[in-house]
Amino acid sequence: TVANLSSGPEPPFFKQLIASLIPNIVDRAPLGRNFGDVLQPVKSTYRMGEVAEVTFVGANPKNSAENQTHQTFLTVEKYEATSATWRIVHNDASWETRFYWHKGLLGHSNATMQWHIPESAQPGIYRMRYFGHIRKQELLKPAVILPFEGTTSAFEVVAH
C-alpha cells in the first residue's frame, strides 16, 4: 500500500540556498538629501481634470510590506480651515491616484505619485504625502527597517 512506501529523499530547499546568494540591498538617499525629500515639486495651482504629480527620494516598497507602520504609500489631503486640520480624501487604493517606484543604482530610488484630480473634487487647498520604509544596515549588524515620510507643499485646486 501507499502507506508502506518509503518517503524517499527530501528535495533540496532552494530558498535557503538562493537567499544567501542574493544580497538584500540597503536603501540610500542621494548626497545631501533625505528619504522623503521632494525632488520634483507640485505646481502651486491645478484645475479639475489635471494631474498633480510629485517625485520624492524613495525606498524599496517591499520594505513597507514587511513592516506595516503605515497602511498606505500615499495620501491626498484637503485642508479644512474650520478645524485647521488636514483630512485624507484619497490614498493608494483610490482610482484617482497612482504610485510609481523607480529603482536606480546602488540602492537609490525615487517614488512618483500622481493624483488625477476628478471633476467632482472640491476646490480648496491640498497636499500629497508619501509613506515608506528604508532598509538600513551598519557593518556587522543586522538590517533594520525604519519608517519615513514626505509631504508636498500645499497647492490649490480650482474649478475650470
Side-chain angles (χ1 to χ4, degrees):
T1 66
V2 174
N4 294 335
L5 290 175
S6 116
S7 61
E10 285 293 313
F13 194 63
F14 290 110
K15 191 174 179 184
Q16 274 184 335
L17 295 171
I18 293 172
S20 61
L21 299 176
I22 301 171
N24 283 328
I25 301 295
V26 297
D27 296 291
R28 291 192 169 81
L31 200 59
R33 296 284 193 168
N34 295 309
F35 293 99
D37 281 359
V38 174
L39 294 173
Q40 176 200 321
V42 290
K43 296 188 305 186
S44 59
T45 306
Y46 292 92
R47 297 188 184 284
M48 293 167 195
E50 292 184 328
V51 178
E53 182 176 282
V54 60
T55 300
F56 293 96
V57 175
N60 192 329
K62 186 176 91 170
N63 300 334
S64 295
E66 296 170 359
N67 185 345
Q68 295 187 341
T69 310
H70 309 294
Q71 298 300 313
T72 185
F73 288 112
L74 72 95
T75 56
V76 176
E77 302 173 359
K78 184 177 187 299
Y79 185 70
E80 300 293 344
T82 53
S83 59
T85 58
W86 291 94
R87 180 176 56 89
I88 296 172
V89 293
H90 297 289
N91 63 22
D92 61 17
S94 303
W95 286 107
E96 294 85 0
T97 61
R98 308 287 185 274
F99 176 86
Y100 301 99
W101 178 60
H102 311 281
K103 182 180 177 186
L105 298 174
L106 304 173
H108 293 244
S109 64
N110 295 341
T112 299
M113 280 154 231
Q114 293 178 342
W115 175 35
H116 294 250
I117 304 168
E119 298 292 336
S120 60
Q122 294 178 350
I125 304 299
Y126 290 84
R127 70 181 182 185
M128 295 167 68
R129 295 178 70 200
Y130 168 38
F131 302 94
H133 291 82
I134 62 167
R135 176 189 268 300
K136 184 177 179 182
Q137 187 162 19
E138 294 179 24
L139 194 63
L140 303 176
K141 292 186 178 179
V144 293
I145 305 291
L146 302 171
F148 71 90
E149 57 185 72
T151 305
T152 67
S153 55
F155 58 92
E156 187 176 9
V157 171
V158 297
H160 292 288

